[in-house]
């Protein structure tokens, strides 16, 4: 029981520290810090979340193919 209370205390202290930092800094940096903290917590409690977050990041960063000007439209049948 003491271990559980200790873990809850550490978790709450971490959240309080992150929120304190977010008020101290400007909002852009605060959101990145909060995201990193929540990502670490999510990875501890849900290990497969790491793989899905990598897939989402790759989709967000991938370049979309643009048609070249030389491409002609294929008439539909």
């Amino acid at each position: 029981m003491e271990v559980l209370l200790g873990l809850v205390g550490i978790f709450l202290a971490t959240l309080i520290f992150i929120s304190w930092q977010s008020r101290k800094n400007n909002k852009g940096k605060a959101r990145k810090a909060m995201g990193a903290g929540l990502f670490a917590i999510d990875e501890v409690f849900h290990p497969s979340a790491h793989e899905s977050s990598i897939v989402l990041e790759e989709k967000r960063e991938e370049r979309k193919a643009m048609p070249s000007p030389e491409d002609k439209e294929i008439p539909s049948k």
Side-chain angles (χ1 to χ4, degrees):
M1 186 67 171
E2 292 112 12
V3 174
L4 179 64
L5 290 175
L7 290 174
V8 170
I10 291 171
F11 179 72
L12 289 176
T14 304
L15 288 179
I16 290 170
F17 177 74
I18 290 172
S19 69
W20 177 69
Q21 287 292 337
S22 68
R23 289 183 185 162
K24 187 177 175 183
N25 297 333
N26 62 12
K27 290 189 178 191
K29 289 182 181 177
R31 289 184 181 155
K32 290 179 184 177
M34 181 66 82
L38 292 176
F39 178 75
I41 292 170
D42 189 35
E43 196 169 329
V44 168
F45 290 108
H46 193 267
S48 63
H50 178 69
E51 296 168 5
S52 63
S53 66
I54 290 174
V55 170
L56 289 174
E57 185 175 347
E58 287 175 355
K59 283 187 176 183
R60 190 175 341 130
E61 292 178 355
E62 74 183 9
R63 299 179 73 185
K64 297 194 170 42
M66 296 179 62
S68 66
E70 296 92 27
D71 288 343
K72 309 263 184 198
E73 288 189 30
I74 300 173
S76 312
K77 292 183 179 181

